[in-house]
Amino acid sequence: MRIGLYPGTFDPVTLGHLDIMHRAARLVDRLVIGVAINREKKPMFELQERVEMIRMETAQITACEVIVHPFENLLIDCARDVGAQVIIRGLRAVTDFEYEFQMVGMNRLMDDSIETVFLMADARRQAIASRLVKEIARLNGDISKFVTPAVAKALISRVR
């Protein structure tokens, strides 16, 4: 069984994240969506809220089994914990690549049996970043092009 881990904070989950999830699901038998507990990022949504949003938004994925898995340890340890052979990462721009390049190198030094696969963001989704979506929502902008209606409702409710 091919198990892939797609990690992130998903605060909130965007259409860009969902695009990567749907595409990754075609590559593996089980897709584990690792929801990071990253206290330094000070998420707007609590862990359980983010987990539930992702469960709701991925319920229609049928290409593989999808599991939503919160984690607070090292990414490579999470990958081991869930039995992942591959870590799936989305890339939007060159700046993403520089960060991801360093992370892959460190992860390979810790466990070279786990590969990392990069999926380029769909051209229509490359500019979407959770932090920017939150800022647009805070300033009463239209976020409908960046998140699903359910996530938009939760986000607007949170910022107002």
Side-chain angles (χ1 to χ4, degrees):
M1 175 180 278
R2 292 169 303 171
I3 301 172
L5 170 63
Y6 178 43
T9 51
F10 307 110
D11 185 46
V13 63
T14 68
L15 295 177
H17 294 132
L18 292 170
D19 172 60
I20 298 293
M21 290 173 194
H22 282 270
R23 292 169 45 213
R26 296 190 310 252
L27 303 174
V28 296
D29 301 306
R30 176 182 298 149
L31 178 60
V32 178
I33 301 168
V35 183
I37 302 167
N38 187 337
R39 298 180 202 298
E40 291 179 18
K41 283 193 173 184
K42 298 179 176 73
M44 177 177 284
F45 291 96
E46 296 296 324
L47 174 66
Q48 197 54 42
E49 292 174 303
R50 291 181 281 138
V51 166
E52 288 306 315
M53 272 189 234
I54 294 168
R55 283 190 178 133
M56 181 179 65
E57 298 298 339
T58 60
Q60 73 280 7
I61 294 177
T62 58
C64 74
E65 177 185 13
V66 176
I67 296 170
V68 182
H69 176 79
F71 74 100
E72 191 171 17
N73 54 346
L74 288 172
L75 174 57
I76 203 72
D77 289 336
C78 178
R80 288 183 194 125
D81 291 347
V82 300
Q85 295 89 10
V86 63
I87 296 169
I88 298 160
R89 301 293 292 168
L91 289 177
R92 294 174 298 186
V94 173
T95 54
D96 285 349
F97 178 79
E98 291 173 7
Y99 171 78
E100 295 295 341
F101 182 80
Q102 286 184 307
M103 187 181 305
V104 168
M106 295 298 285
N107 286 339
R108 298 266 317 151
L109 289 171
M110 289 185 279
D111 190 334
D112 66 359
S113 70
I114 300 173
E115 291 293 338
T116 300
V117 173
F118 294 104
L119 296 178
M120 293 302 298
D122 181 283
R124 296 166 296 170
R125 311 275 189 237
Q126 286 178 350
I128 301 174
S130 292
R131 82 179 154 73
L132 296 176
V133 173
K134 289 185 283 193
E135 186 67 17
I136 292 166
R138 276 189 202 102
L139 297 171
N140 298 318
D142 179 11
I143 57 173
S144 64
K145 293 179 183 176
F146 313 122
V147 295
T148 65
V151 172
K153 182 178 178 183
L155 185 51
I156 290 166
S157 173
R158 182 59 47 98
V159 298
R160 298 209 172 117

